[in-house]
Amino acid sequence: MTDTPHFPLSAVVGADDLKLALCLTAIDPKIGGVLIEGPRGMAKSTLARGLADLLASGQFVTLPLGATEERLVGTLDLDAALSEGRAQFSPGVLAKADGGVLYVDEVNLLPDHLVDLLLDVAASGTNLIERDGISHRHSAKFVLIGTMNPEEGELRPQLLDRFGLNVALSGHTAPTQRGQIIRRRLDFDSNPQAFCAQWAAQQQALRERCQQARSALAAIPLDDAALAMITERCFAAGVDGLRADLVWLRAARAHAAWRGAEAIAEEDIDAVAEFALRHRRRQHSNPPPQQEQPPSTQNSNPSEGQGQWGEMPAQALPIGARREVPSWPKKP
């Protein structure tokens, strides 16, 4: 746990789909993290920070928007190299996030090569550094949470697909629910410790449920019947690649563990379908068929409306008087 208290996830009003997706990634980090889309002011970062309390370490690390590759993966410790003359590894953000949550705000504004590197490490769980005369490998198992506002730019489809789950928040909230959100936020800002103590029982129950689901996850088989149902629906959705099938199956198993079931059921597959398919579903944009135009008869009189709209006959351009080319006598 960090010293600064986070807004409890159990105290968040609404956003049930996002809270479920965050809990599923806490149960099985191999799902590949969650990409949260939504307009400004939708508490995306508040929800992401609330997830840290559900993990064993509770570590929450934020990747700055202007971070460099060295800051992300780690680099050579210059102090040790200059003072002691030896190569020593200086850990980066990935090492600090091991066992906790790595939060990337406005991931669509991060350079593509950093996003690609980040997703590679999140999928493998290991960070390998071969640079500056050092070779180092360390564990980097974390829950990756990225947020983005689509109005500020899209994420490339190749990188979008690398996120396990995708949830979109709507900016239209009912007045009653908006009032509850503002009231709880004001109570938290005025006295964070007292507010967290008020929700301690609900937060502890949520934490224990995630812990029990993590313990029961390995005992739930990734059976062929569930896989067949998922592959059929992925094929019908027209998704590219096979990552959707794998993520969907893992998320369905995590949802079964969340329910306390011993096997994956159809309700588990349906519950996480949109999370796995939303950002991978192929968008069909067939243009409307063009009607065949009847051939138009040529008419020398443009006033009768024949020909293409706006078309004007070619105008004669003055070229001036024609000049005769002088005739030079041939050489003898």
Side-chain angles (χ1 to χ4, degrees), residues 239-278:
V239 298
D240 294 325
L242 302 175
R243 186 173 284 113
D245 307 63
L246 180 60
V247 169
W248 195 349
L249 186 61
R250 287 189 180 277
R253 182 176 68 166
H255 190 271
W258 171 257
R259 293 191 303 112
E262 298 179 356
I264 301 175
E266 186 173 358
E267 64 177 294
D268 301 312
I269 297 175
D270 294 338
V272 299
E274 190 62 19
F275 299 160
L277 292 180
R278 183 184 181 275

PDB file of all heavy atoms in Angstrom, residues 239-278:
ATOM      1  N   VAL A 239     -13.019 -10.893 -36.388  1.00  0.00           N
ATOM      2  CA  VAL A 239     -11.822 -10.312 -35.780  1.00  0.00           C
ATOM      3  C   VAL A 239     -10.584 -10.838 -36.491  1.00  0.00           C
ATOM      4  O   VAL A 239     -10.562 -11.955 -37.010  1.00  0.00           O
ATOM      5  CB  VAL A 239     -11.762 -10.628 -34.271  1.00  0.00           C
ATOM      6  CG1 VAL A 239     -12.943 -10.028 -33.552  1.00  0.00           C
ATOM      7  CG2 VAL A 239     -11.709 -12.129 -34.030  1.00  0.00           C
ATOM      8  N   ASP A 240      -9.554 -10.031 -36.526  1.00  0.00           N
ATOM      9  CA  ASP A 240      -8.282 -10.421 -37.120  1.00  0.00           C
ATOM     10  C   ASP A 240      -7.395 -11.054 -36.063  1.00  0.00           C
ATOM     11  O   ASP A 240      -7.314 -10.573 -34.939  1.00  0.00           O
ATOM     12  CB  ASP A 240      -7.572  -9.211 -37.729  1.00  0.00           C
ATOM     13  CG  ASP A 240      -8.328  -8.645 -38.914  1.00  0.00           C
ATOM     14  OD1 ASP A 240      -8.941  -9.432 -39.652  1.00  0.00           O
ATOM     15  OD2 ASP A 240      -8.319  -7.416 -39.090  1.00  0.00           O
ATOM     16  N   GLY A 241      -6.706 -12.116 -36.445  1.00  0.00           N
ATOM     17  CA  GLY A 241      -5.785 -12.752 -35.517  1.00  0.00           C
ATOM     18  C   GLY A 241      -6.500 -13.637 -34.515  1.00  0.00           C
ATOM     19  O   GLY A 241      -7.720 -13.835 -34.546  1.00  0.00           O
ATOM     20  N   LEU A 242      -5.699 -14.164 -33.568  1.00  0.00           N
ATOM     21  CA  LEU A 242      -6.208 -15.103 -32.576  1.00  0.00           C
ATOM     22  C   LEU A 242      -6.136 -14.572 -31.149  1.00  0.00           C
ATOM     23  O   LEU A 242      -6.503 -15.293 -30.219  1.00  0.00           O
ATOM     24  CB  LEU A 242      -5.406 -16.426 -32.655  1.00  0.00           C
ATOM     25  CG  LEU A 242      -5.427 -17.127 -34.008  1.00  0.00           C
ATOM     26  CD1 LEU A 242      -4.513 -18.342 -33.980  1.00  0.00           C
ATOM     27  CD2 LEU A 242      -6.844 -17.545 -34.380  1.00  0.00           C
ATOM     28  N   ARG A 243      -5.687 -13.321 -30.983  1.00  0.00           N
ATOM     29  CA  ARG A 243      -5.555 -12.798 -29.632  1.00  0.00           C
ATOM     30  C   ARG A 243      -6.913 -12.655 -28.953  1.00  0.00           C
ATOM     31  O   ARG A 243      -7.038 -12.854 -27.744  1.00  0.00           O
ATOM     32  CB  ARG A 243      -4.817 -11.458 -29.647  1.00  0.00           C
ATOM     33  CG  ARG A 243      -4.527 -10.925 -28.255  1.00  0.00           C
ATOM     34  CD  ARG A 243      -3.643  -9.696 -28.278  1.00  0.00           C
ATOM     35  NE  ARG A 243      -2.263 -10.041 -28.533  1.00  0.00           N
ATOM     36  CZ  ARG A 243      -1.602  -9.723 -29.626  1.00  0.00           C
ATOM     37  NH1 ARG A 243      -2.209  -9.068 -30.594  1.00  0.00           N
ATOM     38  NH2 ARG A 243      -0.339 -10.054 -29.790  1.00  0.00           N
ATOM     39  N   ALA A 244      -7.943 -12.324 -29.707  1.00  0.00           N
ATOM     40  CA  ALA A 244      -9.273 -12.165 -29.125  1.00  0.00           C
ATOM     41  C   ALA A 244      -9.756 -13.474 -28.516  1.00  0.00           C
ATOM     42  O   ALA A 244     -10.358 -13.482 -27.435  1.00  0.00           O
ATOM     43  CB  ALA A 244     -10.255 -11.668 -30.182  1.00  0.00           C
ATOM     44  N   ASP A 245      -9.501 -14.606 -29.195  1.00  0.00           N
ATOM     45  CA  ASP A 245      -9.937 -15.900 -28.673  1.00  0.00           C
ATOM     46  C   ASP A 245      -9.264 -16.201 -27.339  1.00  0.00           C
ATOM     47  O   ASP A 245      -9.918 -16.641 -26.385  1.00  0.00           O
ATOM     48  CB  ASP A 245      -9.613 -17.011 -29.675  1.00  0.00           C
ATOM     49  CG  ASP A 245     -10.149 -16.715 -31.065  1.00  0.00           C
ATOM     50  OD1 ASP A 245      -9.720 -15.721 -31.676  1.00  0.00           O
ATOM     51  OD2 ASP A 245     -11.003 -17.468 -31.545  1.00  0.00           O
ATOM     52  N   LEU A 246      -7.956 -15.974 -27.278  1.00  0.00           N
ATOM     53  CA  LEU A 246      -7.218 -16.285 -26.056  1.00  0.00           C
ATOM     54  C   LEU A 246      -7.628 -15.381 -24.907  1.00  0.00           C
ATOM     55  O   LEU A 246      -7.858 -15.846 -23.778  1.00  0.00           O
ATOM     56  CB  LEU A 246      -5.716 -16.155 -26.338  1.00  0.00           C
ATOM     57  CG  LEU A 246      -4.774 -16.445 -25.173  1.00  0.00           C
ATOM     58  CD1 LEU A 246      -4.969 -17.864 -24.677  1.00  0.00           C
ATOM     59  CD2 LEU A 246      -3.325 -16.211 -25.583  1.00  0.00           C
ATOM     60  N   VAL A 247      -7.729 -14.082 -25.182  1.00  0.00           N
ATOM     61  CA  VAL A 247      -8.123 -13.129 -24.138  1.00  0.00           C
ATOM     62  C   VAL A 247      -9.528 -13.419 -23.648  1.00  0.00           C
ATOM     63  O   VAL A 247      -9.809 -13.401 -22.441  1.00  0.00           O
ATOM     64  CB  VAL A 247      -8.001 -11.688 -24.670  1.00  0.00           C
ATOM     65  CG1 VAL A 247      -8.656 -10.704 -23.717  1.00  0.00           C
ATOM     66  CG2 VAL A 247      -6.546 -11.316 -24.872  1.00  0.00           C
ATOM     67  N   TRP A 248     -10.429 -13.699 -24.564  1.00  0.00           N
ATOM     68  CA  TRP A 248     -11.823 -13.980 -24.199  1.00  0.00           C
ATOM     69  C   TRP A 248     -11.913 -15.209 -23.317  1.00  0.00           C
ATOM     70  O   TRP A 248     -12.643 -15.222 -22.330  1.00  0.00           O
ATOM     71  CB  TRP A 248     -12.621 -14.167 -25.486  1.00  0.00           C
ATOM     72  CG  TRP A 248     -14.110 -14.123 -25.325  1.00  0.00           C
ATOM     73  CD1 TRP A 248     -14.819 -14.146 -24.150  1.00  0.00           C
ATOM     74  CD2 TRP A 248     -15.082 -14.024 -26.371  1.00  0.00           C
ATOM     75  NE1 TRP A 248     -16.169 -14.091 -24.397  1.00  0.00           N
ATOM     76  CE2 TRP A 248     -16.356 -14.006 -25.758  1.00  0.00           C
ATOM     77  CE3 TRP A 248     -14.995 -13.957 -27.756  1.00  0.00           C
ATOM     78  CZ2 TRP A 248     -17.535 -13.933 -26.502  1.00  0.00           C
ATOM     79  CZ3 TRP A 248     -16.160 -13.883 -28.497  1.00  0.00           C
ATOM     80  CH2 TRP A 248     -17.421 -13.873 -27.866  1.00  0.00           C
ATOM     81  N   LEU A 249     -11.150 -16.260 -23.664  1.00  0.00           N
ATOM     82  CA  LEU A 249     -11.182 -17.484 -22.864  1.00  0.00           C
ATOM     83  C   LEU A 249     -10.626 -17.247 -21.471  1.00  0.00           C
ATOM     84  O   LEU A 249     -11.192 -17.718 -20.474  1.00  0.00           O
ATOM     85  CB  LEU A 249     -10.395 -18.586 -23.580  1.00  0.00           C
ATOM     86  CG  LEU A 249     -10.434 -19.977 -22.949  1.00  0.00           C
ATOM     87  CD1 LEU A 249     -11.863 -20.509 -22.900  1.00  0.00           C
ATOM     88  CD2 LEU A 249      -9.532 -20.938 -23.722  1.00  0.00           C
ATOM     89  N   ARG A 250      -9.535 -16.516 -21.373  1.00  0.00           N
ATOM     90  CA  ARG A 250      -8.959 -16.225 -20.055  1.00  0.00           C
ATOM     91  C   ARG A 250      -9.907 -15.357 -19.218  1.00  0.00           C
ATOM     92  O   ARG A 250     -10.062 -15.570 -18.017  1.00  0.00           O
ATOM     93  CB  ARG A 250      -7.618 -15.512 -20.214  1.00  0.00           C
ATOM     94  CG  ARG A 250      -6.490 -16.393 -20.688  1.00  0.00           C
ATOM     95  CD  ARG A 250      -5.166 -15.658 -20.594  1.00  0.00           C
ATOM     96  NE  ARG A 250      -4.052 -16.460 -21.038  1.00  0.00           N
ATOM     97  CZ  ARG A 250      -3.426 -17.353 -20.280  1.00  0.00           C
ATOM     98  NH1 ARG A 250      -3.823 -17.554 -19.038  1.00  0.00           N
ATOM     99  NH2 ARG A 250      -2.402 -18.041 -20.760  1.00  0.00           N
ATOM    100  N   ALA A 251     -10.526 -14.367 -19.861  1.00  0.00           N
ATOM    101  CA  ALA A 251     -11.443 -13.496 -19.133  1.00  0.00           C
ATOM    102  C   ALA A 251     -12.687 -14.258 -18.679  1.00  0.00           C
ATOM    103  O   ALA A 251     -13.210 -14.012 -17.586  1.00  0.00           O
ATOM    104  CB  ALA A 251     -11.841 -12.309 -20.012  1.00  0.00           C
ATOM    105  N   ALA A 252     -13.169 -15.183 -19.502  1.00  0.00           N
ATOM    106  CA  ALA A 252     -14.321 -15.998 -19.107  1.00  0.00           C
ATOM    107  C   ALA A 252     -13.978 -16.894 -17.918  1.00  0.00           C
ATOM    108  O   ALA A 252     -14.802 -17.081 -17.004  1.00  0.00           O
ATOM    109  CB  ALA A 252     -14.793 -16.836 -20.294  1.00  0.00           C
ATOM    110  N   ARG A 253     -12.767 -17.429 -17.907  1.00  0.00           N
ATOM    111  CA  ARG A 253     -12.354 -18.243 -16.758  1.00  0.00           C
ATOM    112  C   ARG A 253     -12.226 -17.384 -15.501  1.00  0.00           C
ATOM    113  O   ARG A 253     -12.617 -17.807 -14.402  1.00  0.00           O
ATOM    114  CB  ARG A 253     -11.028 -18.955 -17.053  1.00  0.00           C
ATOM    115  CG  ARG A 253     -10.586 -19.848 -15.907  1.00  0.00           C
ATOM    116  CD  ARG A 253      -9.342 -20.629 -16.225  1.00  0.00           C
ATOM    117  NE  ARG A 253      -8.169 -19.780 -16.352  1.00  0.00           N
ATOM    118  CZ  ARG A 253      -6.910 -20.235 -16.356  1.00  0.00           C
ATOM    119  NH1 ARG A 253      -6.684 -21.540 -16.237  1.00  0.00           N
ATOM    120  NH2 ARG A 253      -5.902 -19.418 -16.479  1.00  0.00           N
ATOM    121  N   ALA A 254     -11.682 -16.178 -15.643  1.00  0.00           N
ATOM    122  CA  ALA A 254     -11.594 -15.281 -14.488  1.00  0.00           C
ATOM    123  C   ALA A 254     -12.980 -14.913 -13.981  1.00  0.00           C
ATOM    124  O   ALA A 254     -13.194 -14.781 -12.770  1.00  0.00           O
ATOM    125  CB  ALA A 254     -10.797 -14.028 -14.862  1.00  0.00           C
ATOM    126  N   HIS A 255     -13.938 -14.744 -14.890  1.00  0.00           N
ATOM    127  CA  HIS A 255     -15.305 -14.420 -14.466  1.00  0.00           C
ATOM    128  C   HIS A 255     -15.942 -15.602 -13.750  1.00  0.00           C
ATOM    129  O   HIS A 255     -16.717 -15.412 -12.794  1.00  0.00           O
ATOM    130  CB  HIS A 255     -16.143 -14.014 -15.678  1.00  0.00           C
ATOM    131  CG  HIS A 255     -17.470 -13.430 -15.326  1.00  0.00           C
ATOM    132  ND1 HIS A 255     -18.605 -14.209 -15.160  1.00  0.00           N
ATOM    133  CD2 HIS A 255     -17.851 -12.155 -15.073  1.00  0.00           C
ATOM    134  CE1 HIS A 255     -19.628 -13.427 -14.847  1.00  0.00           C
ATOM    135  NE2 HIS A 255     -19.195 -12.183 -14.778  1.00  0.00           N
ATOM    136  N   ALA A 256     -15.643 -16.821 -14.198  1.00  0.00           N
ATOM    137  CA  ALA A 256     -16.143 -17.998 -13.492  1.00  0.00           C
ATOM    138  C   ALA A 256     -15.565 -18.069 -12.079  1.00  0.00           C
ATOM    139  O   ALA A 256     -16.271 -18.397 -11.116  1.00  0.00           O
ATOM    140  CB  ALA A 256     -15.804 -19.260 -14.282  1.00  0.00           C
ATOM    141  N   ALA A 257     -14.292 -17.752 -11.954  1.00  0.00           N
ATOM    142  CA  ALA A 257     -13.684 -17.709 -10.618  1.00  0.00           C
ATOM    143  C   ALA A 257     -14.285 -16.586  -9.789  1.00  0.00           C
ATOM    144  O   ALA A 257     -14.462 -16.730  -8.565  1.00  0.00           O
ATOM    145  CB  ALA A 257     -12.175 -17.531 -10.745  1.00  0.00           C
ATOM    146  N   TRP A 258     -14.607 -15.475 -10.415  1.00  0.00           N
ATOM    147  CA  TRP A 258     -15.248 -14.358  -9.728  1.00  0.00           C
ATOM    148  C   TRP A 258     -16.614 -14.765  -9.169  1.00  0.00           C
ATOM    149  O   TRP A 258     -17.013 -14.352  -8.083  1.00  0.00           O
ATOM    150  CB  TRP A 258     -15.370 -13.201 -10.716  1.00  0.00           C
ATOM    151  CG  TRP A 258     -16.185 -12.037 -10.278  1.00  0.00           C
ATOM    152  CD1 TRP A 258     -17.454 -11.737 -10.661  1.00  0.00           C
ATOM    153  CD2 TRP A 258     -15.792 -10.995  -9.368  1.00  0.00           C
ATOM    154  NE1 TRP A 258     -17.883 -10.581 -10.058  1.00  0.00           N
ATOM    155  CE2 TRP A 258     -16.879 -10.102  -9.265  1.00  0.00           C
ATOM    156  CE3 TRP A 258     -14.642 -10.735  -8.640  1.00  0.00           C
ATOM    157  CZ2 TRP A 258     -16.841  -8.980  -8.459  1.00  0.00           C
ATOM    158  CZ3 TRP A 258     -14.594  -9.602  -7.858  1.00  0.00           C
ATOM    159  CH2 TRP A 258     -15.681  -8.741  -7.761  1.00  0.00           C
ATOM    160  N   ARG A 259     -17.347 -15.601  -9.917  1.00  0.00           N
ATOM    161  CA  ARG A 259     -18.647 -16.089  -9.452  1.00  0.00           C
ATOM    162  C   ARG A 259     -18.527 -17.188  -8.414  1.00  0.00           C
ATOM    163  O   ARG A 259     -19.503 -17.533  -7.752  1.00  0.00           O
ATOM    164  CB  ARG A 259     -19.468 -16.622 -10.627  1.00  0.00           C
ATOM    165  CG  ARG A 259     -19.901 -15.604 -11.633  1.00  0.00           C
ATOM    166  CD  ARG A 259     -20.917 -16.201 -12.601  1.00  0.00           C
ATOM    167  NE  ARG A 259     -20.417 -17.366 -13.295  1.00  0.00           N
ATOM    168  CZ  ARG A 259     -20.870 -18.603 -13.115  1.00  0.00           C
ATOM    169  NH1 ARG A 259     -21.823 -18.863 -12.224  1.00  0.00           N
ATOM    170  NH2 ARG A 259     -20.355 -19.611 -13.816  1.00  0.00           N
ATOM    171  N   GLY A 260     -17.344 -17.801  -8.308  1.00  0.00           N
ATOM    172  CA  GLY A 260     -17.172 -18.927  -7.414  1.00  0.00           C
ATOM    173  C   GLY A 260     -17.565 -20.241  -8.044  1.00  0.00           C
ATOM    174  O   GLY A 260     -17.792 -21.229  -7.330  1.00  0.00           O
ATOM    175  N   ALA A 261     -17.626 -20.280  -9.391  1.00  0.00           N
ATOM    176  CA  ALA A 261     -17.995 -21.507 -10.098  1.00  0.00           C
ATOM    177  C   ALA A 261     -16.762 -22.388 -10.302  1.00  0.00           C
ATOM    178  O   ALA A 261     -15.622 -21.941 -10.139  1.00  0.00           O
ATOM    179  CB  ALA A 261     -18.639 -21.168 -11.436  1.00  0.00           C
ATOM    180  N   GLU A 262     -17.019 -23.632 -10.686  1.00  0.00           N
ATOM    181  CA  GLU A 262     -15.934 -24.581 -10.896  1.00  0.00           C
ATOM    182  C   GLU A 262     -15.632 -24.797 -12.370  1.00  0.00           C
ATOM    183  O   GLU A 262     -14.681 -25.516 -12.690  1.00  0.00           O
ATOM    184  CB  GLU A 262     -16.278 -25.925 -10.238  1.00  0.00           C
ATOM    185  CG  GLU A 262     -16.445 -25.830  -8.724  1.00  0.00           C
ATOM    186  CD  GLU A 262     -16.807 -27.169  -8.104  1.00  0.00           C
ATOM    187  OE1 GLU A 262     -17.005 -28.135  -8.877  1.00  0.00           O
ATOM    188  OE2 GLU A 262     -16.869 -27.253  -6.865  1.00  0.00           O
ATOM    189  N   ALA A 263     -16.432 -24.240 -13.249  1.00  0.00           N
ATOM    190  CA  ALA A 263     -16.221 -24.404 -14.682  1.00  0.00           C
ATOM    191  C   ALA A 263     -16.768 -23.173 -15.403  1.00  0.00           C
ATOM    192  O   ALA A 263     -17.594 -22.422 -14.872  1.00  0.00           O
ATOM    193  CB  ALA A 263     -16.890 -25.674 -15.209  1.00  0.00           C
ATOM    194  N   ILE A 264     -16.295 -22.978 -16.624  1.00  0.00           N
ATOM    195  CA  ILE A 264     -16.753 -21.861 -17.442  1.00  0.00           C
ATOM    196  C   ILE A 264     -18.144 -22.177 -17.982  1.00  0.00           C
ATOM    197  O   ILE A 264     -18.372 -23.241 -18.565  1.00  0.00           O
ATOM    198  CB  ILE A 264     -15.779 -21.599 -18.605  1.00  0.00           C
ATOM    199  CG1 ILE A 264     -14.376 -21.281 -18.065  1.00  0.00           C
ATOM    200  CG2 ILE A 264     -16.273 -20.454 -19.482  1.00  0.00           C
ATOM    201  CD1 ILE A 264     -13.329 -21.129 -19.155  1.00  0.00           C
ATOM    202  N   ALA A 265     -19.066 -21.254 -17.791  1.00  0.00           N
ATOM    203  CA  ALA A 265     -20.422 -21.397 -18.298  1.00  0.00           C
ATOM    204  C   ALA A 265     -20.678 -20.361 -19.386  1.00  0.00           C
ATOM    205  O   ALA A 265     -19.889 -19.435 -19.592  1.00  0.00           O
ATOM    206  CB  ALA A 265     -21.445 -21.258 -17.170  1.00  0.00           C
ATOM    207  N   GLU A 266     -21.807 -20.505 -20.058  1.00  0.00           N
ATOM    208  CA  GLU A 266     -22.134 -19.576 -21.133  1.00  0.00           C
ATOM    209  C   GLU A 266     -22.319 -18.155 -20.599  1.00  0.00           C
ATOM    210  O   GLU A 266     -22.002 -17.182 -21.289  1.00  0.00           O
ATOM    211  CB  GLU A 266     -23.397 -20.040 -21.852  1.00  0.00           C
ATOM    212  CG  GLU A 266     -23.730 -19.219 -23.086  1.00  0.00           C
ATOM    213  CD  GLU A 266     -24.888 -19.792 -23.878  1.00  0.00           C
ATOM    214  OE1 GLU A 266     -25.402 -20.854 -23.480  1.00  0.00           O
ATOM    215  OE2 GLU A 266     -25.278 -19.168 -24.883  1.00  0.00           O
ATOM    216  N   GLU A 267     -22.790 -18.024 -19.372  1.00  0.00           N
ATOM    217  CA  GLU A 267     -22.963 -16.686 -18.807  1.00  0.00           C
ATOM    218  C   GLU A 267     -21.629 -15.988 -18.598  1.00  0.00           C
ATOM    219  O   GLU A 267     -21.534 -14.761 -18.686  1.00  0.00           O
ATOM    220  CB  GLU A 267     -23.737 -16.766 -17.494  1.00  0.00           C
ATOM    221  CG  GLU A 267     -23.026 -17.532 -16.389  1.00  0.00           C
ATOM    222  CD  GLU A 267     -23.818 -17.506 -15.093  1.00  0.00           C
ATOM    223  OE1 GLU A 267     -23.972 -16.407 -14.514  1.00  0.00           O
ATOM    224  OE2 GLU A 267     -24.284 -18.579 -14.677  1.00  0.00           O
ATOM    225  N   ASP A 268     -20.569 -16.750 -18.335  1.00  0.00           N
ATOM    226  CA  ASP A 268     -19.240 -16.162 -18.206  1.00  0.00           C
ATOM    227  C   ASP A 268     -18.737 -15.661 -19.560  1.00  0.00           C
ATOM    228  O   ASP A 268     -18.125 -14.587 -19.652  1.00  0.00           O
ATOM    229  CB  ASP A 268     -18.257 -17.191 -17.640  1.00  0.00           C
ATOM    230  CG  ASP A 268     -18.690 -17.710 -16.283  1.00  0.00           C
ATOM    231  OD1 ASP A 268     -19.025 -16.885 -15.420  1.00  0.00           O
ATOM    232  OD2 ASP A 268     -18.698 -18.938 -16.089  1.00  0.00           O
ATOM    233  N   ILE A 269     -19.016 -16.424 -20.602  1.00  0.00           N
ATOM    234  CA  ILE A 269     -18.602 -16.021 -21.948  1.00  0.00           C
ATOM    235  C   ILE A 269     -19.347 -14.771 -22.379  1.00  0.00           C
ATOM    236  O   ILE A 269     -18.760 -13.840 -22.950  1.00  0.00           O
ATOM    237  CB  ILE A 269     -18.844 -17.190 -22.927  1.00  0.00           C
ATOM    238  CG1 ILE A 269     -17.962 -18.392 -22.540  1.00  0.00           C
ATOM    239  CG2 ILE A 269     -18.562 -16.754 -24.364  1.00  0.00           C
ATOM    240  CD1 ILE A 269     -18.216 -19.631 -23.370  1.00  0.00           C
ATOM    241  N   ASP A 270     -20.640 -14.728 -22.093  1.00  0.00           N
ATOM    242  CA  ASP A 270     -21.428 -13.559 -22.480  1.00  0.00           C
ATOM    243  C   ASP A 270     -21.035 -12.316 -21.678  1.00  0.00           C
ATOM    244  O   ASP A 270     -21.080 -11.200 -22.209  1.00  0.00           O
ATOM    245  CB  ASP A 270     -22.922 -13.846 -22.273  1.00  0.00           C
ATOM    246  CG  ASP A 270     -23.438 -14.926 -23.212  1.00  0.00           C
ATOM    247  OD1 ASP A 270     -22.801 -15.157 -24.256  1.00  0.00           O
ATOM    248  OD2 ASP A 270     -24.462 -15.559 -22.885  1.00  0.00           O
ATOM    249  N   ALA A 271     -20.656 -12.504 -20.427  1.00  0.00           N
ATOM    250  CA  ALA A 271     -20.370 -11.352 -19.556  1.00  0.00           C
ATOM    251  C   ALA A 271     -19.153 -10.568 -20.010  1.00  0.00           C
ATOM    252  O   ALA A 271     -19.068  -9.352 -19.786  1.00  0.00           O
ATOM    253  CB  ALA A 271     -20.182 -11.823 -18.116  1.00  0.00           C
ATOM    254  N   VAL A 272     -18.202 -11.231 -20.658  1.00  0.00           N
ATOM    255  CA  VAL A 272     -16.953 -10.561 -21.042  1.00  0.00           C
ATOM    256  C   VAL A 272     -16.824 -10.404 -22.548  1.00  0.00           C
ATOM    257  O   VAL A 272     -15.761  -9.987 -23.033  1.00  0.00           O
ATOM    258  CB  VAL A 272     -15.738 -11.341 -20.492  1.00  0.00           C
ATOM    259  CG1 VAL A 272     -15.791 -11.407 -18.979  1.00  0.00           C
ATOM    260  CG2 VAL A 272     -15.680 -12.746 -21.083  1.00  0.00           C
ATOM    261  N   ALA A 273     -17.882 -10.726 -23.292  1.00  0.00           N
ATOM    262  CA  ALA A 273     -17.792 -10.695 -24.756  1.00  0.00           C
ATOM    263  C   ALA A 273     -17.442  -9.313 -25.275  1.00  0.00           C
ATOM    264  O   ALA A 273     -16.526  -9.143 -26.088  1.00  0.00           O
ATOM    265  CB  ALA A 273     -19.111 -11.182 -25.360  1.00  0.00           C
ATOM    266  N   GLU A 274     -18.140  -8.296 -24.816  1.00  0.00           N
ATOM    267  CA  GLU A 274     -17.911  -6.946 -25.321  1.00  0.00           C
ATOM    268  C   GLU A 274     -16.546  -6.422 -24.901  1.00  0.00           C
ATOM    269  O   GLU A 274     -15.921  -5.645 -25.647  1.00  0.00           O
ATOM    270  CB  GLU A 274     -19.015  -6.006 -24.827  1.00  0.00           C
ATOM    271  CG  GLU A 274     -19.015  -4.635 -25.468  1.00  0.00           C
ATOM    272  CD  GLU A 274     -19.243  -4.669 -26.973  1.00  0.00           C
ATOM    273  OE1 GLU A 274     -19.752  -5.693 -27.476  1.00  0.00           O
ATOM    274  OE2 GLU A 274     -18.896  -3.680 -27.639  1.00  0.00           O
ATOM    275  N   PHE A 275     -16.055  -6.831 -23.730  1.00  0.00           N
ATOM    276  CA  PHE A 275     -14.727  -6.405 -23.297  1.00  0.00           C
ATOM    277  C   PHE A 275     -13.650  -6.869 -24.283  1.00  0.00           C
ATOM    278  O   PHE A 275     -12.705  -6.132 -24.566  1.00  0.00           O
ATOM    279  CB  PHE A 275     -14.395  -6.959 -21.913  1.00  0.00           C
ATOM    280  CG  PHE A 275     -15.327  -6.506 -20.832  1.00  0.00           C
ATOM    281  CD1 PHE A 275     -15.430  -7.209 -19.640  1.00  0.00           C
ATOM    282  CD2 PHE A 275     -16.117  -5.381 -20.990  1.00  0.00           C
ATOM    283  CE1 PHE A 275     -16.284  -6.791 -18.633  1.00  0.00           C
ATOM    284  CE2 PHE A 275     -16.975  -4.959 -19.995  1.00  0.00           C
ATOM    285  CZ  PHE A 275     -17.062  -5.672 -18.817  1.00  0.00           C
ATOM    286  N   ALA A 276     -13.793  -8.102 -24.772  1.00  0.00           N
ATOM    287  CA  ALA A 276     -12.773  -8.682 -25.640  1.00  0.00           C
ATOM    288  C   ALA A 276     -12.938  -8.314 -27.105  1.00  0.00           C
ATOM    289  O   ALA A 276     -11.949  -8.323 -27.857  1.00  0.00           O
ATOM    290  CB  ALA A 276     -12.790 -10.213 -25.502  1.00  0.00           C
ATOM    291  N   LEU A 277     -14.152  -7.985 -27.524  1.00  0.00           N
ATOM    292  CA  LEU A 277     -14.420  -7.769 -28.938  1.00  0.00           C
ATOM    293  C   LEU A 277     -14.535  -6.307 -29.334  1.00  0.00           C
ATOM    294  O   LEU A 277     -14.421  -5.983 -30.518  1.00  0.00           O
ATOM    295  CB  LEU A 277     -15.726  -8.478 -29.339  1.00  0.00           C
ATOM    296  CG  LEU A 277     -15.722 -10.000 -29.323  1.00  0.00           C
ATOM    297  CD1 LEU A 277     -17.087 -10.526 -29.744  1.00  0.00           C
ATOM    298  CD2 LEU A 277     -14.642 -10.563 -30.227  1.00  0.00           C
ATOM    299  N   ARG A 278     -14.776  -5.428 -28.399  1.00  0.00           N
ATOM    300  CA  ARG A 278     -15.103  -4.051 -28.748  1.00  0.00           C
ATOM    301  C   ARG A 278     -14.030  -3.400 -29.607  1.00  0.00           C
ATOM    302  O   ARG A 278     -14.333  -2.739 -30.602  1.00  0.00           O
ATOM    303  CB  ARG A 278     -15.334  -3.225 -27.473  1.00  0.00           C
ATOM    304  CG  ARG A 278     -15.744  -1.799 -27.775  1.00  0.00           C
ATOM    305  CD  ARG A 278     -15.886  -0.952 -26.523  1.00  0.00           C
ATOM    306  NE  ARG A 278     -16.295   0.387 -26.904  1.00  0.00           N
ATOM    307  CZ  ARG A 278     -15.454   1.339 -27.276  1.00  0.00           C
ATOM    308  NH1 ARG A 278     -14.150   1.090 -27.297  1.00  0.00           N
ATOM    309  NH2 ARG A 278     -15.900   2.532 -27.628  1.00  0.00           N
TER     310      ARG A 278
END
